[in-house]
Amino acid sequence: HQLTLVGLEPDQKYFYRVVCGDISSPTSTFTTKPDTNKPFKFIVYGDNRTQIKIHERISRQIAKENSAFVINVGDVVSRGEVLPQWIDEYFLPIGVYSSSTPSYISIGNHEYGGYWDQRKVPPFEKYVSHPIGTVGSTQYYFSFDYGKSHFIILDPNEGENGGDDSIISP
């Protein structure tokens, strides 16, 4: 599920919980981005596939850092067409930080595993949501501003040769 919140103040902490029928999540928090020149920190990592226990340890460290956001440079799963890998290799390990810290994926070549012919990755499009409000943006290519920085997320797997790793450019 996805929703858009409006009317939030910049640089404010908000509390929330998700309720579905008789089940509800614990209360979590998130902080909106500042509209000032305030310093911030962000985390970049990637190629977490395969080693679930290591990814869990890294995610616990990320949760302690109180970063503004996280960018994963791809290869979050071993093979994109294997749906349980999306849960086991990516979504479960990031659960320790994802309720309070936004994260983005710059899609890697392993996400395309099983989908090279169609050049689209249905699980990526279904389960991941990126800021695509700017002209030319898609789930695979997008950009966003944070503070006085502009971040560009690219899919290097396009073209004849395709890439091996994803690229970020702050």
Side-chain angles (χ1 to χ4, degrees), residues 42-60:
F42 64 98
I43 294 173
V44 177
Y45 79 112
D47 214 358
N48 55 262
R49 62 177 169 72
T50 314
Q51 301 295 328
I52 296 170
K53 294 295 182 195
I54 293 171
H55 190 205
E56 289 170 348
R57 287 198 319 251
I58 291 169
S59 293
R60 285 193 298 273

Side-chain angles (χ1 to χ4, degrees), residues 4 22 33 54 57 72 79 87 116 123 140 147 164 170:
T4 300
D22 295 335
K33 70 180 184 176
I54 293 171
R57 287 198 319 251
N72 189 303
R79 188 164 174 84
I87 296 167
W116 283 107
Y140 302 85
D164 188 20

Side-chain angles (χ1 to χ4, degrees), residues 3-169:
L3 61 97
T4 300
L5 302 173
V6 295
L8 302 179
E9 296 294 322
D11 204 19
Q12 293 295 309
K13 182 183 245 183
Y14 288 91
F15 295 83
Y16 76 97
R17 65 187 179 123
V18 177
V19 177
C20 182
D22 295 335
I23 301 171
S24 65
S25 71
T27 299
S28 295
T29 64
F30 68 90
T31 302
T32 53
K33 70 180 184 176
D35 64 354
T36 63
N37 206 8
K38 182 178 174 180
F40 65 93
K41 64 180 169 179
F42 64 98
I43 294 173
V44 177
Y45 79 112
D47 214 358
N48 55 262
R49 62 177 169 72
T50 314
Q51 301 295 328
I52 296 170
K53 294 295 182 195
I54 293 171
H55 190 205
E56 289 170 348
R57 287 198 319 251
I58 291 169
S59 293
R60 285 193 298 273
Q61 287 302 117
I62 289 171
K64 292 177 184 178
E65 290 299 318
N66 194 28
S67 64
F69 54 88
V70 175
I71 297 174
N72 189 303
V73 294
D75 293 351
V76 301
V77 296
S78 298
R79 188 164 174 84
E81 69 178 350
V82 182
L83 296 181
Q85 289 178 359
W86 288 90
I87 296 167
D88 297 337
E89 294 182 3
Y90 186 65
F91 289 115
L92 285 177
I94 72 166
V96 296
Y97 70 79
S98 64
S99 64
S100 60
T101 306
S103 63
Y104 308 99
I105 300 172
S106 177
I107 194 166
N109 61 315
H110 282 263
E111 282 78 58
Y112 277 99
Y115 297 115
W116 283 107
D117 291 342
Q118 61 191 59
R119 304 301 303 149
K120 298 285 180 189
V121 181
F124 179 74
E125 293 180 9
K126 182 175 182 179
Y127 299 116
V128 177
S129 181
H130 288 128
I132 58 173
T134 56
V135 175
S137 292
T138 70
Q139 285 293 93
Y140 302 85
Y141 296 89
F142 60 94
S143 66
F144 62 94
D145 294 325
Y146 198 96
K148 288 195 160 196
S149 298
H150 184 73
F151 293 85
I152 301 169
I153 309 297
L154 303 172
D155 177 358
N157 299 289
E158 285 289 319
E160 292 178 25
N161 299 323
D164 188 20
D165 290 305
S166 297
I167 301 166
I168 66 158
S169 176

